[in-house]
Amino acid sequence: MKHLLALPLMFLSLSLHAAIPAPPALEASSFALLDYDSGELLAASNPDQRVGPASITKVMTAYVVLEEVRQGRMKLQDTAFVSEKAWRQGIDSSESRMFVQVGTRVGLEELLHGIITQSGNDASVVLAEHVAGSEDAFATMMNQQAAKLGMKNTHFTNAPGMPDAQHYSTAHDLTLLGRALIQNFPAEYKWFALPDYTYNGIKQPNRNLLLKKDPSVDGIKTGHTSEAGYCLLSSAQRDGRRLIAAVMGTKSWAYREQASLELLNWGFRFFESAQLLGPTKPAGTVKVWKGAAAEVQVGTLKPVAITLPRGEAARVQASWQQEGEAIAPFAAGQKLGTLTLTLDGKVLRTEPLVALQDVEKGGFWRRLIDTIRLWFA
């Protein structure tokens, strides 16, 4: 049983939007632009090329700590001991520091500000040692989280992002990390937009200069080493729509901001996203057999986010195919078919079509009559 739906949908496929101007030609080793709602890459150059993430690593450091807090294994009000190893991070060089003092205890929330805004290598090691006992053990936790987030080309060996042949990520993987951070920790994500932070009487500015250049930008993290070049993982929200950009291996701190803004502007200008279907937007109804209800609404329990070139939504067709009969009882979420989106006859995306409500079994006579009817259906 196939049903056509008059839905203005489109699933982004880079091979399908030739009318869209090419993305900016950036002088970067790699870059990726991700639509937050749909998770689709809008533009990319060498997105899976392994590169040193430098201090963007600290986004994962913060993520692991926040996840431990969310799981109830620690609190932001807890304090962590500053070891000599942590205190010595950057003491003999120009590396970023929070300026924690050896032998003292510092609150976890303060340390998170220290790595997010001040990019403190010392604060990163303090947190790593507090959470896991050692930086090596913490790196294992970082890699476990990376695997859960689908960061297939990422491996961490340290918490601050110091150069190491086995410490790498990709532009695409870092946009996935940024997306997960915003999704899972929306309250704490606001810290990434703070213009500065003061600790131990030392006020340090946020190194993400895009925060000052564009009010729509609210994160995420800069990075720089001589090996990695100048890098930036950024995110901006305009008119309720969010994009995430990772620009890696540029020539200067100024150019990484310029390149990131060009990429974000391009994505906002030429694409739009829509949240479709979901529990309040059914795709249709199907007949229910042996149930307390005669029919049930079908669709998706969560909105389907679609990214599309501006103005092309109407060309997409959607249809759904019921798979077998809907025989009660069943719960909301039970798969009853498949939803298919097509453009010019090409299948773009499929989604499970599920019941949107619970349906209890019907009375004796309803079940008996429907049993007989099903013999002849």
Side-chain angles (χ1 to χ4, degrees):
M1 187 183 303
K2 188 173 183 179
H3 305 263
L4 292 176
L5 308 177
L7 295 178
L9 307 177
M10 180 168 180
F11 173 73
L12 175 65
S13 172
L14 293 179
S15 64
L16 294 175
H17 52 75
I20 297 297
L26 305 182
E27 296 179 14
S29 62
S30 62
F31 65 80
L33 179 66
L34 187 85
D35 182 271
Y36 173 80
D37 287 330
S38 68
E40 294 298 323
L41 277 181
L42 306 186
S45 175
N46 301 321
D48 298 319
Q49 175 181 301
R50 294 178 177 180
V51 295
S55 282
I56 297 177
T57 298
K58 295 182 176 79
V59 179
M60 178 58 86
T61 302
Y63 188 97
V64 171
V65 176
L66 291 172
E67 182 62 25
E68 290 296 294
V69 172
R70 182 167 71 166
Q71 295 300 326
R73 290 188 278 267
M74 57 188 59
K75 299 178 181 178
L76 289 175
Q77 295 74 31
D78 293 346
T79 61
F81 180 76
V82 180
S83 69
E84 183 173 352
K85 176 188 175 182
W87 170 72
R88 286 193 176 279
Q89 298 295 310
I91 196 170
D92 298 321
S93 68
S94 59
E95 295 169 15
S96 303
R97 300 173 62 203
M98 184 184 178
F99 296 98
V100 294
Q101 297 301 304
V102 65
T104 63
R105 300 193 69 87
V106 184
L108 299 195
E109 184 169 336
E110 287 183 295
L111 289 164
L112 284 168
H113 285 293
I115 68 172
I116 291 169
T117 305
Q118 299 179 325
S119 198
N121 290 358
D122 49 359
S124 300
V125 175
V126 174
L127 285 169
E129 293 178 339
H130 177 76
V131 171
S134 71
E135 193 175 359
D136 287 343
F138 187 79
T140 298
M141 296 178 68
M142 296 169 75
N143 291 325
Q144 290 170 345
Q145 284 295 336
K148 290 180 181 179
L149 299 180
M151 300 171 67
K152 298 179 181 179
N153 293 291
T154 293
H155 186 264
F156 298 109
T157 62
N158 61 81
M162 300 302 294
D164 185 305
Q166 296 304 311
H167 189 95
Y168 53 81
S169 188
T170 70
H172 187 195
D173 280 1
L174 291 174
T175 61
L176 296 179
L177 173 58
R179 185 179 187 229
L181 173 73
I182 298 167
Q183 285 180 329
N184 296 328
F185 305 105
E188 292 79 8
Y189 175 66
K190 295 178 182 178
W191 297 346
F192 287 80
L194 293 178
D196 53 64
Y197 189 70
T198 302
Y199 177 77
N200 199 24
I202 302 172
K203 182 178 180 179
Q204 298 189 61
N206 195 314
R207 289 162 173 77
N208 183 2
L209 300 184
L210 276 188
L211 296 171
K212 295 181 178 180
K213 292 181 178 179
D214 190 314
S216 71
V217 175
D218 54 12
I220 301 175
K221 187 74 184 72
T222 61
H224 170 254
T225 63
S226 57
E227 293 84 357
Y230 292 85
C231 313
L232 177 58
L233 176 63
S234 60
S235 184
Q237 189 171 29
R238 302 177 189 174
D239 299 323
R241 187 169 164 244
R242 179 179 290 282
L243 298 179
I244 300 171
V247 176
M248 312 301 292
T250 68
K251 59 188 178 183
S252 69
W253 61 265
Y255 184 73
R256 70 185 174 190
E257 272 84 28
Q258 175 188 331
S260 298
L261 191 56
E262 286 182 20
L263 197 57
L264 290 167
N265 286 341
W266 178 85
F268 281 118
R269 180 177 181 183
F270 295 111
F271 293 89
E272 58 188 357
S273 60
Q275 298 236 353
L276 305 148
L277 299 171
T280 61
K281 299 177 181 179
T285 60
V286 302
K287 176 178 175 55
V288 173
W289 298 87
K290 302 184 183 181
E295 59 183 23
V296 64
Q297 291 182 326
V298 293
T300 59
L301 288 180
K302 295 182 179 180
V304 176
I306 303 295
T307 306
L308 53 140
R310 289 191 179 278
E312 293 202 9
R315 299 205 310 116
V316 172
Q317 291 185 326
S319 63
W320 55 272
Q321 183 80 36
Q322 186 174 337
E323 299 171 2
E325 304 293 352
I327 300 177
F330 51 81
Q334 179 168 323
K335 184 180 178 182
L336 298 177
T338 301
L339 176 71
T340 303
L341 307 181
T342 60
L343 177 63
D344 297 331
K346 180 179 180 179
V347 175
L348 305 178
R349 184 168 178 174
T350 59
E351 290 284 339
L353 192 79
V354 303
L356 297 182
Q357 300 94 23
D358 298 338
V359 178
E360 302 293 336
K361 67 179 180 180
F364 172 78
W365 289 109
R366 165 68 66 181
R367 299 198 307 274
L368 177 61
I369 292 171
D370 280 355
T371 297
I372 296 171
R373 287 176 174 173
L374 280 169
W375 293 342
F376 302 98

